[in-house]
Amino acid sequence: MFSKILIANRGEIACRVIDTCRRLGVGTVAVYSDADRGARHVALADEAVHIGGPAPKDSYLRGNAIIRAALDTGAQAIHPGYGFLSENPDFVDAVNAAGLVFIGPSADAIRAMGLKDAAKALMERAGVPVVPGYHGDDQDAGFLADQADRIGYPVLIKAVAGGGGKGMRKVDRAADFADALASAQGEAQTAFGNPAVLIEKYVTAPRHIEVQVFGNGQRAVHLFERDCSLQRRHQKVIEEAPAPGMTPEVRAAMGAAAVRAAEAIGYAGAGTIEFIVDGSRGLRPDGFWFMEMNTRLQVEHPVTEAITGVDLVEWQLRVASGEPLPARQQDLTIHGHAFEARLYAEDVPAGFLPATGRLAHLQFAGNARNETGVRQGDSISPWYDPMIAKIVTHGPTRAIALRALEQALVDTEVAGTVTNLDFLIALTRHAGFRAGEVDTGLIGRDLDALLDQSEPAPETRALAVLGVAGLHDPEVRGGVTLWAPLRRTVTWEGGEGVVEVLGPGQARVTLDGATHEVSHEGGRWWVNGAPRRSRIVAHPAGVSVFGGRSLTLVPQDPLDRQTEAAGGGMTLSPMPGLVKAVFVAAGQGVAAGDRLAILEAMKMEHTLTAARDGVVAEVLAAAGDQVEAGAPLIRLADEDGGAAPTAA
């Protein structure tokens, strides 16, 4: 076993690797950028080395700087985590050339699976079923359109060097193919430096089921499957293991295919074979096809660990240090069911746009495994993936594990940035998902129902107003009435209410013309005689009520004057990012839905469109500009020369 390793990553995966190393007595070296100087992974590691600026290209993608840090600190090996350099074969070669061990597969194995078209051809030769499609080198737009016609619509355009949904477009009809192809190629070029794509048949009622494999370079085992079908924009939201509806026959077929795939390339370490599955008629041995291989540890690996009792990071360290495979196939069994939900800082109603902000309050549930790279007080940076945590639950049955996940999410408390927490809770309560009826289109079909934008309950608002009044601590409220007014008006951004203190632990809140009796008894809040499973928390960003659907109010001094925001006719940047393209000019007429600009942020492209017909009055940004969230980009003029709001 190694005595010291360097972790060439950041965030929750760096913290995850450190946890296992600490348990095994292995020393750890962290690397960090300017933006991560005070990050959690830096604090947890035994040593830390600064490697550059906040942009990944200036830090976490600087292979030479990372290798130098490993050599200077006496590390024997480098763990890549996932993302960044984890699937870069040139980096693997450089690590080995420096006399270090790469904790993962060989460069040859990564190259074999790095391009989706070549990987599919290799899998066909290995006897692994692949989806019908075109995986060749000819990238002529007309030729690709002909191939799509031959395959039959709907088809899926996918970047050959892609991942995470980038460079991927579903096309339902031939008339839309050219625009979708250009968009996919442009995004692929931006994200991967390679615009090449492949064309595949789009599978009806598709499910995304992947198999965890582990090899030592000669032979491999599988650790069963994970279902990752619950996705939006081709990115996973909730994963589970085992897959709903899986049969022993199908599991054996998928597992055997995954092992053949791994052994065909002499795979060493942890990897994942991803299959697209036709769920229209249930799971069948002839109804799954190879999609791609991730030659690294997956984000969702904890669900496999939960049902097998295996620490996959420990296995990585042991095999990379020269030990044999820790288990034979017959030694591996499934115990119970597990779920993982990805908690992100993102604006769900605005189209799941990544968000930033300081975590003014952060508390996780005690009944879950919470994998995180942040702490209360940390900032969600615009430079990296906005994940806050992975929340993992396990139970003897799927129903029990899912109820545990729902409760863990309800008990998770985040303030200071918008999150997808309410959306995740809604998913756990979705009738089809509860029944195990999952496919990759579920979220898209039921998005409106999952995006419940109704106002929080009046009882929740009443508790929040009590917090704005500073009366949320039951231990204090009985005494403050001696010198504070018994009745007072409180204000917050966007509202006003009245609070009357009736006695120790009792108050009356008048809000929007309605009166609510609030009390604190037996360790919980009661509103209008009914118990509430709620917590009121004051923090630097305001006052929040947690326990179900959360609500945050920002207190306001009644003497403060609010000024009207200028520039109501502006299309604003929804997040920090790079203006990739601008499609309009001053004086140009536009119609509702027309493209105005493309913003590149969080490694993805976001199209900003006109919300109404109008004339462009000003273009305030140009391609290549780096802009902050809220920066004005384009202004539409009214007929009278003024401006009206537009949506981005």
Side-chain angles (χ1 to χ4, degrees):
M1 177 58 68
F2 306 113
S3 59
K4 182 190 290 188
I5 71 166
L6 180 141
I7 303 163
N9 218 295
R10 65 176 301 279
E12 55 87 18
I13 184 56
C15 297
R16 162 74 187 89
V17 174
I18 290 170
D19 286 344
T20 290
C21 288
R22 182 168 293 171
R23 181 173 60 79
L24 298 176
V26 177
T28 53
V29 180
V31 292
Y32 64 92
S33 68
D34 290 344
D36 279 340
R37 187 174 299 275
R40 182 172 183 261
H41 76 280
V42 175
L44 287 178
D46 299 310
E47 302 173 60
V49 179
H50 176 254
I51 54 169
K57 67 180 178 62
D58 298 327
S59 50
Y60 298 106
L61 293 176
R62 293 182 62 209
N64 291 339
I66 290 170
I67 291 170
R68 172 50 54 193
L71 294 172
D72 289 346
T73 55
Q76 301 157 293
I78 294 179
H79 193 299
Y82 43 70
F84 296 131
L85 294 169
S86 63
E87 294 180 281
N88 185 318
D90 294 336
F91 177 64
V92 178
D93 284 336
V95 169
N96 294 334
L100 301 167
V101 176
F102 181 78
I103 302 175
S106 67
D108 287 344
I110 295 175
R111 288 189 178 98
M113 290 298 190
L115 296 179
K116 291 184 176 65
D117 49 355
K120 289 179 187 297
L122 175 61
M123 291 300 97
E124 281 189 293
R125 293 195 296 271
V128 179
V130 300
V131 180
Y134 174 72
H135 312 129
D137 295 330
D138 192 337
Q139 294 292 300
D140 176 74
F143 176 80
L144 292 176
D146 290 341
Q147 294 301 307
D149 290 338
R150 180 184 61 80
I151 296 165
Y153 288 92
V155 299
L156 199 62
I157 303 171
K158 297 172 67 175
V160 300
K166 302 177 187 68
M168 183 183 296
R169 300 291 187 274
K170 175 177 178 282
V171 190
D172 292 307
R173 58 194 187 122
D176 299 330
F177 184 83
D179 286 344
L181 175 64
S183 178
Q185 289 174 328
E187 191 169 84
Q189 177 65 44
T190 297
F192 313 112
N194 183 349
V197 299
L198 56 83
I199 314 295
E200 287 183 345
K201 176 67 178 174
Y202 185 81
V203 179
T204 305
R207 290 178 63 178
H208 180 152
I209 298 178
E210 59 190 32
V211 176
Q212 175 71 59
V213 294
F214 205 100
N216 65 357
Q218 288 81 42
R219 64 184 186 89
V221 296
H222 71 83
L223 290 89
F224 314 108
E225 79 281 353
R226 297 184 289 257
D227 195 307
C228 305
S229 301
L230 214 57
Q231 302 179 7
R232 51 91 185 161
R233 293 170 64 183
H234 304 293
Q235 293 188 327
K236 301 165 187 175
V237 179
I238 294 179
E239 303 101 340
E240 62 181 299
M246 181 59 71
T247 67
E249 182 184 20
V250 177
R251 177 174 291 125
M254 292 185 78
V259 168
R260 284 199 303 274
E263 292 182 343
I265 58 172
Y267 194 80
T272 298
I273 309 297
E274 299 193 354
F275 293 104
I276 189 75
V277 180
D278 182 358
S280 61
R281 294 184 290 125
L283 300 182
R284 310 180 313 278
D286 61 349
F288 66 89
W289 302 274
F290 173 85
M291 187 163 55
E292 63 182 345
M293 181 178 190
N294 289 305
T295 52
R296 52 170 168 77
L297 199 64
Q298 288 279 88
V299 176
E300 59 272 22
H301 75 273
V303 293
T304 293
E305 294 183 326
I307 65 166
T308 61
V310 167
D311 183 332
L312 287 169
V313 174
E314 178 179 344
W315 276 31
Q316 286 184 299
L317 296 173
R318 292 193 179 281
V319 169
S321 65
E323 296 184 22
L325 277 176
R328 301 167 299 172
Q329 191 65 59
Q330 57 266 37
D331 300 327
L332 298 167
T333 55
I334 295 175
H335 303 282
H337 205 98
F339 285 92
E340 174 184 287
R342 301 188 186 194
L343 176 62
Y344 278 98
E346 61 184 7
D347 191 339
V348 174
F352 298 91
L353 290 179
T356 58
R358 185 172 297 278
L359 296 169
H361 176 77
L362 181 64
Q363 181 170 304
F364 296 113
N367 72 320
R369 170 178 169 178
N370 302 294
E371 303 259 328
T372 184
V374 295
R375 302 151 298 186
Q376 182 169 299
D378 287 351
S379 292
I380 302 298
S381 167
W383 296 104
Y384 313 115
D385 184 90
M387 179 183 285
I388 296 173
K390 303 182 309 194
I391 298 170
V392 184
T393 58
H394 179 258
T397 67
R398 184 179 189 272
I400 292 173
L402 184 54
R403 285 198 298 269
L405 179 64
E406 177 189 2
Q407 193 59 62
L409 293 168
V410 167
D411 290 343
T412 298
E413 302 175 0
V414 187
T417 182
V418 294
T419 75
N420 65 339
L421 185 57
D422 289 340
F423 177 71
L424 293 174
I425 293 172
L427 279 171
T428 66
R429 295 170 177 171
H430 183 279
F433 182 51
R434 281 184 175 270
E437 299 165 358
V438 294
D439 64 73
T440 58
L442 183 149
I443 288 177
R445 288 193 304 271
D446 296 340
L447 188 59
D448 289 343
L450 293 167
L451 297 182
D452 177 15
Q453 298 185 53
S454 60
E455 287 292 317
E459 293 82 0
T460 300
R461 290 173 55 81
L463 290 172
V465 172
L466 197 71
V468 173
L471 301 175
H472 54 284
D473 188 343
E475 300 300 320
V476 175
R477 285 177 51 211
V480 297
T481 60
L482 295 175
W483 59 84
L486 293 178
R487 175 188 174 92
R488 55 183 290 214
T489 298
V490 295
T491 59
W492 59 92
E493 290 186 3
E496 180 178 284
V498 175
V499 175
E500 298 175 83
V501 177
L502 306 178
Q506 294 183 310
R508 179 179 296 125
V509 177
T510 302
L511 177 66
D512 299 330
T515 299
H516 305 278
E517 304 291 333
V518 181
S519 62
H520 194 274
E521 307 170 39
R524 69 164 56 201
W525 291 102
W526 296 67
V527 182
N528 300 328
R532 305 283 299 180
R533 198 176 185 278
S534 302
R535 278 197 351 115
I536 309 173
V537 178
H539 47 73
V543 175
S544 298
V545 178
F546 299 110
R549 187 170 179 186
S550 61
L551 170 67
T552 297
L553 300 181
V554 180
Q556 182 181 32
D557 188 323
L559 298 179
D560 283 348
R561 296 184 143 235
Q562 290 283 51
T563 58
E564 287 292 323
M570 297 294 183
T571 292
L572 305 179
S573 175
M575 69 192 83
L578 175 73
V579 178
K580 189 73 179 300
V582 176
F583 302 109
V584 294
Q588 178 179 336
V590 295
D594 283 355
R595 292 191 304 170
L596 302 179
I598 289 179
L599 184 74
E600 180 184 321
M602 305 288 184
K603 301 181 182 179
M604 297 196 62
E605 291 186 355
H606 306 272
T607 300
L608 310 181
T609 61
R612 61 171 176 85
D613 298 348
V615 176
V616 176
E618 287 183 285
V619 176
L620 301 166
D625 288 353
Q626 188 76 37
V627 296
E628 296 297 320
L633 303 179
I634 294 163
R635 181 170 68 88
L636 293 187
D638 280 340
E639 291 182 354
D640 61 3
T646 64

